[in-house]
Amino acid sequence: MKEKKNRERKMHPAADEVLSVMKGHRSIRKYKKNTVNDRLIDRICEAAQQAAFASQTYSVIVSKKGPLPFGAPVLLTFCVDIHKFELIMKKRGWKWVTNDVFSLLLGLEDACYFAQNFALAAEAHGLGTCFLGYAPYAASAIRKKYGIPKRVFPFVQMTLGFPDEDPPVRPRYPREFVLFREQYKIKDESIAKAMKKMDEGYLRQDYYKKLNAKIPLIKGKKENFTYKGYSWTEHICRKWGQWNPEDGRIKKQFREAGFDI
């Protein structure tokens, strides 16, 4: 009993509020016209920088020049940034010689932790966010637009602003489909349970129907789904289960940014 009380006393007084922000995350795709002032962005960035890191091999570019996706007042571009650390190494008489596959993995870890912290801090201030995953395919254009030097790679963007919509929280897998204790083991019934939770949750919200979002089947396959039954697992299976050849675009973007993979 004494040990339990000691653990409770060590809990941060804002723990419930933090968990509430995390569990209330939604992607916001409609924003008010209100601007987000620079002091608030600086405050959020300062908190985001307390994320865990390997070498702080990240940067973020803030843009308010429109038009921006979803009419957001701010667009953030999160980057893997080896360049700035190479500048530090130069001051010390060193050169970056670690292979670029590992360099990018290291940078992605750093940048992902920072980006997620940024989103959480923003949402704690009443702002809305939406991550945009197409940045790697447009990396060369993004680098040119913002004057990004080589050895810096824009890997994800995020809209930021005050929400002008209040969408429901989207479903997530059951905990037992994510959290494994000591050994990785998935039971067949847990697969069915996970699929049911995701599909029924999205169907209740009419998510794909409202977006009119149904991935077309490749030629030769018959469409058997209406929006009454088309939900998350079918959508994601179509997304990853139909061949999308590596066309060299990503590798080209990396090469142009000065990374040899």
Side-chain angles (χ1 to χ4, degrees):
M1 177 68 92
K2 184 177 180 180
E3 183 181 349
K4 182 179 179 181
K5 287 183 178 179
N6 286 337
R7 287 201 303 268
E8 289 175 348
R9 279 199 294 266
K10 291 179 181 178
M11 186 176 74
H12 194 285
D16 287 339
E17 288 84 354
V18 172
L19 294 177
S20 178
V21 171
M22 295 173 71
K23 293 173 73 173
H25 167 75
R26 291 89 44 83
S27 291
I28 299 298
R29 296 180 174 87
K30 188 177 180 182
Y31 296 88
K32 295 178 180 178
K33 294 182 179 180
N34 309 49
T35 187
V36 182
N37 70 62
D38 290 339
R39 284 183 298 175
L40 179 53
I41 293 174
D42 289 348
R43 177 182 171 89
I44 292 166
C45 184
E46 185 178 11
Q49 284 183 262
Q50 290 306 121
F53 66 81
S55 298
Q56 295 188 88
T57 46
Y58 62 77
S59 292
V60 61
I61 297 166
V62 181
S63 178
K64 295 184 178 181
K65 294 181 179 179
L68 300 178
F70 311 132
V74 181
L75 179 66
L76 304 168
T77 301
F78 295 94
C79 304
V80 173
D81 189 345
I82 304 299
H83 172 69
K84 68 168 64 172
F85 204 82
E86 288 179 325
L87 296 176
I88 293 174
M89 294 179 77
K90 186 177 180 180
K91 295 284 187 182
R92 289 288 182 184
W94 288 80
K95 288 185 178 180
W96 189 287
V97 297
T98 302
N99 73 81
D100 281 350
V101 172
F102 182 72
S103 298
L104 282 167
L105 288 173
L106 188 77
L108 283 168
E109 288 182 24
D110 281 356
C112 283
Y113 304 153
F114 172 69
Q116 182 58 40
N117 252 24
F118 207 108
L120 287 172
E123 289 166 19
H125 283 80
L127 294 165
T129 66
C130 185
F131 280 108
L132 309 173
Y134 196 75
Y137 285 99
S140 294
I142 293 171
R143 289 178 57 246
K144 182 178 180 180
K145 180 177 181 179
Y146 297 128
I148 298 173
K150 287 196 172 184
R151 307 291 284 166
V152 179
F153 190 81
F155 84 98
V156 72
Q157 294 182 304
M158 186 175 79
T159 53
L160 180 72
F162 292 97
D164 197 24
E165 63 173 346
D166 187 23
V169 173
R170 306 302 178 193
R172 294 295 189 268
Y173 285 137
R175 187 175 61 254
E176 61 267 26
F177 204 62
V178 175
L179 177 65
F180 304 106
R181 302 189 187 279
E182 308 299 344
Q183 294 287 316
Y184 183 100
K185 189 174 182 181
I186 295 180
K187 298 179 180 179
D188 193 61
E189 58 265 28
S190 68
I191 302 173
K193 183 178 178 181
M195 294 175 68
K196 181 179 180 181
K197 181 178 180 183
M198 294 301 297
D199 286 339
E200 289 184 352
Y202 273 88
L203 285 171
R204 277 195 301 271
Q205 297 176 11
D206 280 334
Y207 182 81
Y208 294 104
K209 182 179 180 180
K210 289 177 180 176
L211 288 177
N212 193 28
K214 188 187 293 184
I215 296 176
L217 291 167
I218 58 175
K219 292 181 179 179
K221 287 194 174 184
K222 184 179 179 182
E223 179 60 77
N224 293 316
F225 280 89
T226 67
Y227 281 118
K228 288 184 177 180
Y230 184 87
S231 194
W232 190 82
T233 56
E234 178 65 20
H235 186 82
I236 298 302
C237 285
R238 291 186 183 193
K239 186 174 183 178
W240 305 126
Q242 300 188 101
W243 183 245
N244 181 20
E246 207 296 301
D247 57 9
R249 284 184 294 169
I250 292 290
K251 291 180 180 178
K252 180 182 177 184
Q253 305 285 342
F254 279 129
R255 285 195 300 269
E256 291 179 355
F259 292 95
D260 180 15
I261 59 167

